[in-house]
Each structure stands twice: as structure tokens, then as C-alpha cells.
């Protein structure tokens, strides 16, 4: 059974087919958030602190950390800012972290200060990126997200995306990185633009699980891009991709509707043993008057939430995908 281990200084999480779905909180990301970007540039981390604590309280398993505040001289500006952000976040919460950047120097700087065993987000199938990132992954003995696009861009053909994923897994093996430390992103397309995007990713996930035997992730909200009431689509998508074999996603854990879908899928998938986490989270839940739904309770991320022991997906990944 494939098991990808990530860890903070004090908490270890296992991503795997037999584990609760791993929710990677997406909110510490200034891309598309002008206010947050301006704050970080000015050395103000109030929103970063708020987002870290809130995502942990709402049940995130891990936190993605991105400091891509500008496309101007990112090799100079991003490493130091990412280090500062990582140190603040890991001083606040005990969750494992995902180091999210398209800048190799920033990833290396982050790996030097990150405690435990973080996830590197990410590498693509581009040879230049493989040669830059994989030695770092091997040196620091950490897992890596593998995005299924290469020099030719993002293919609309799922068979091509599978072939790119297979190439990355093989190149990782060349560097001595085992398949269980590769978390493949098969690239979720917007369903509003590509009507079979859902069926594509479900089929891809089954192949990745059965043929490559790797764990998987995605930018969850990509599926609903451009549609009204995006959280309804996202919430419907979650149990379907979990059923198809996806083991983690970069998503917004502050959205109750989406976290309910994750927790419900864990119950039905048998990874929330004895419904323990569901009962702990919702035992005092009461519907609002008139049948209107109320916000799900905020549940502190207790041991067992999202691991064996224990709206916006942008930034580094968006910068990488934009070239396609």
C-alpha cells in the first residue's frame, strides 16, 4: 500500500489510499489576493497568521505556504519572504507544510528551515524543472507534487497527461526518489469549459492508482472555475474524486460545505473508523430554522483528522501552468 509520509516537528501524517483524505489548506497564498500580497511585501503577516490558525481550526491536515508576491525578480524577493512566512506558520501550528513555489532557490531556502518532512510543491515534466527540483527532493528526503504538464504545455488528452506523470515518476526513480514520495497532480480542468473534465480526471485517477500506484492531489476549485455557486460543484466533486482514488487536495478548509463532503466521504470510505471524527465534529450540529443550513461547527484539528497520526489554488502552480 502506497504511503506518503509528511511531518511537522511534532506531527506525522500519512497520505494513502487507506487513510482519511488529506486536506491541504490553500489560503496562505498571495496570488490573486492584492491585500495579502501588499501586507507581505510590507512585512505585515496579520492575514497569514489569521489564515494559518483558521485553517488549522477548521480541520486542514496540512497547510500550503506560498510567498509569490510578485513576478518581478522573484529569484531575489521570494526566497527570503518564503523563509519568513514558513517560520511564522510553523511557529503557530503543528501541521505539516507544503512549500509552494515555482522558484527553485525559494524551494531550497524553504527546505533549509522547514521542520519535519514537508511536501515540495512542485515539479513538472519539463527537463529544466526536473533537473533543478529533483536533486533537492533527494537531498532533503522529502516528497514532491508532480504536475502532469511538460514543455508542450497542458494537454487536453488525458492519455498524454498520464504519460507525463509516468515520465516524472521514472525520472524520480533515476534520482533515487521512490514512487511513494511522488504525489501526482493529474490536472483538473474547468468543467464549465470542458464538459468531460470530470470523467477525464476520474479515469486518470484510477490509472494513476492502479498502474503507477502513486498518491494524488489537485487544485480542487479548478473544477468549478467560471461557474456560479462554485462551492456546490466543489462539494459534489470531492466524494467523486475520493471514490476514484484521489488521496489529497489543495483546497479551502474554511468552507463548511466542502469540509462536510470530505468528512462524509471519509465515513463512507471507511477511513473515519467508527465515524469518530464525524461524531466529534457534528455531535452538537443543529439545522437553522426553516430548514436553512447553518455553518458547520469549527472543529480543532485533533489527532486523527486527516491522517494516521494525527477557492484558491494558485501561486507557484498557476505560474507554472500559465506557460502552457
Amino acid at each position: 500500500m502506497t504511503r506518503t509520509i509528511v511531518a511537522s516537528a511534532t506531527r506525522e501524517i500519512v497520505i494513502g489510499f487507506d487513510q482519511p483524505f488529506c486536506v491541504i489548506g490553500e489560503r496562505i497564498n498571495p496570488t490573486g489576493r492584492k491585500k495579502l500580497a501588499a501586507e507581505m511585501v510590507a512585512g505585515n503577516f496579520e492575514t497569514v497568521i489569521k489564515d494559518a490558525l483558521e485553517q488549522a481550526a477548521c480541520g486542514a491536515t496540512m497547510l500550503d505556504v506560498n510567498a509569490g508576491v510578485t513576478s518581478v525578480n522573484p529569484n531575489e524577493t521570494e526566497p527570503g519572504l518564503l523563509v519568513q512566512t514558513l517560520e511564522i506558520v510553523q511557529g503557530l501550528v503543528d501541521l505539516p507544510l507544503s512549500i509552494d513555489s515555482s522558484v527553485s532557490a525559494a524551494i531550497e531556502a524553504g527546505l533549509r528551515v522547514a521542520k519535519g518532512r514537508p511536501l515540495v510543491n512542485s515539479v513538472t515534466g519539463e527537463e529544466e524543472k526536473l533537473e533543478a527540483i529533483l536533486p533537492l527532493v533527494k537531498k532533503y528526503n522529502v516528497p514532491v507534487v508532480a504536475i502532469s504538464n511538460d514543455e508542450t504545455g497542458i494537454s487536453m488528452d488525458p492519455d498524454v497527461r498520464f504519460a507525463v506523470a509516468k515520465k516524472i515518476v521514472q525520472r524520480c526513480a533515476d534520482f533515487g526518489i521512490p514512487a511513494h514520495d511522488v504525489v501526482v497532480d493529474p490536472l483538473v480542468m474547468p468543467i464549465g469549459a470542458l464538459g468531460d473534465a470530470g470523467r477525464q480526471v476520474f479515469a486518470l485517477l484510477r490509472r494513476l492508482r492502479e498502474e503507477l500506484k502513486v498518491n494524488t492531489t489537485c487544485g480542487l476549485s479548478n473544477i468549478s472555475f467560471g461557474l456560479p455557486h462554485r462551492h456546490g460543484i466543489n462539494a459534489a466533486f470531492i466524494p467523486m474524486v475520493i471514490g476514484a482514488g484521489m488521496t489529497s487536495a489543495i483546497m479551502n478548509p474554511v468552507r463548511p460545505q466542502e469540509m462536510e463532503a470530505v468528512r462524509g466521504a471519509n465515513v463512507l470510505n471507511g477511513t473515519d473508523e467508527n465515524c469518530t471524527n464525524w461524531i466529534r465534529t457534528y455531535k452538537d450540529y443543529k439545522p437553522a430554522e426553516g430548514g436553512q443550513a447553518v455553518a458547520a461547527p469549527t472543529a480543532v484539528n485533533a489527532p486523527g483528522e486527516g491522517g494516521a497520526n494525527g477557492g484558491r489554488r494558485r501561486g507557484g502552480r498557476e505560474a507554472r501552468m500559465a506557460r502552457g
Side-chain angles (χ1 to χ4, degrees), residues 51-324:
D51 285 345
L53 294 173
E54 187 174 33
Q55 289 182 105
C58 289
T61 319
M62 299 176 59
L63 296 183
D64 189 74
V65 178
N66 182 289
V69 296
T70 177
S71 59
V72 180
N73 297 325
N75 289 309
E76 297 178 9
T77 61
E78 195 166 326
L81 188 57
L82 181 59
V83 165
Q84 191 174 6
T85 308
L86 285 167
E87 289 179 331
I88 288 170
V89 173
Q90 65 188 2
L92 293 169
V93 300
D94 69 345
L95 302 181
L97 301 181
S98 167
I99 300 174
D100 182 0
S101 179
S102 61
V103 178
S104 302
I107 289 177
E108 183 166 20
L111 286 169
R112 285 198 295 264
V113 301
K115 299 176 181 178
R117 196 170 196 251
L119 176 67
V120 168
N121 185 13
S122 58
V123 70
T124 67
E126 300 163 277
E127 280 300 323
E128 180 182 356
K129 288 296 183 183
L130 292 167
E131 293 293 333
I133 301 300
L134 296 188
L136 296 176
V137 172
K138 176 61 176 177
K139 176 181 178 181
Y140 288 92
N141 186 29
V142 292
V144 63
V145 173
I147 301 182
S148 302
N149 69 289
D150 58 15
E151 290 88 351
T152 64
I154 301 171
S155 175
M156 294 299 105
D157 184 342
D159 289 336
V160 172
R161 298 207 299 277
F162 177 83
V164 174
K166 184 176 181 179
K167 168 192 169 182
I168 298 173
V169 171
Q170 291 172 337
R171 294 286 281 117
C172 284
D174 292 341
F175 281 85
I177 301 163
H180 64 250
D181 275 341
V182 184
V183 181
V184 171
D185 181 348
L187 290 173
V188 172
M189 302 298 176
I191 193 74
L194 188 66
D196 64 347
R199 294 192 299 273
Q200 278 192 9
V201 76
F202 303 147
L204 263 172
L205 286 168
R206 294 186 185 100
R207 290 192 69 189
L208 290 166
R209 174 172 177 160
E210 294 167 9
E211 296 180 40
L212 296 187
K213 296 178 170 49
V214 291
N215 281 309
T216 46
T217 195
C218 71
L220 187 89
S221 64
N222 289 350
I223 192 68
S224 62
F225 182 79
L227 293 176
H229 188 41
R230 295 182 64 182
H231 304 299
I233 295 292
N234 296 345
F237 185 57
I238 288 166
M240 296 185 76
V241 290
I242 292 175
M246 185 166 279
T247 50
S248 69
I250 298 147
M251 57 181 284
N252 186 353
V254 180
R255 297 291 180 184
Q257 188 175 8
E258 295 172 30
M259 288 300 290
E260 285 174 4
V262 169
R263 294 184 178 112
N266 286 339
V267 169
L268 298 172
N269 212 24
T271 56
D272 181 2
E273 189 173 356
N274 299 318
C275 308
T276 300
N277 184 57
W278 182 271
I279 293 168
R280 182 177 65 238
T281 305
Y282 297 110
K283 60 184 174 61
D284 297 321
Y285 177 85
K286 292 181 176 63
E289 293 183 8
Q292 296 298 314
V294 297
T298 297
V300 173
N301 192 342
E305 172 90 47
N309 303 310
R312 181 181 286 108
R313 177 63 196 126
R314 295 172 174 155
R317 174 175 312 212
E318 186 174 80
R320 293 184 284 277
M321 291 174 62
R323 294 196 297 274

Side-chain angles (χ1 to χ4, degrees), residues 7-46:
S8 66
T10 58
R11 181 184 294 202
E12 180 180 285
I13 297 294
V14 178
I15 303 172
F17 306 128
D18 61 342
Q19 301 297 311
F21 191 68
C22 179
V23 174
I24 306 172
E26 70 181 5
R27 291 184 55 78
I28 303 173
N29 190 331
T31 309
R33 300 178 68 186
K34 293 182 179 179
K35 179 177 179 290
L36 176 58
E39 286 180 0
M40 293 175 71
V41 169
N44 177 356
F45 292 90
E46 290 180 9

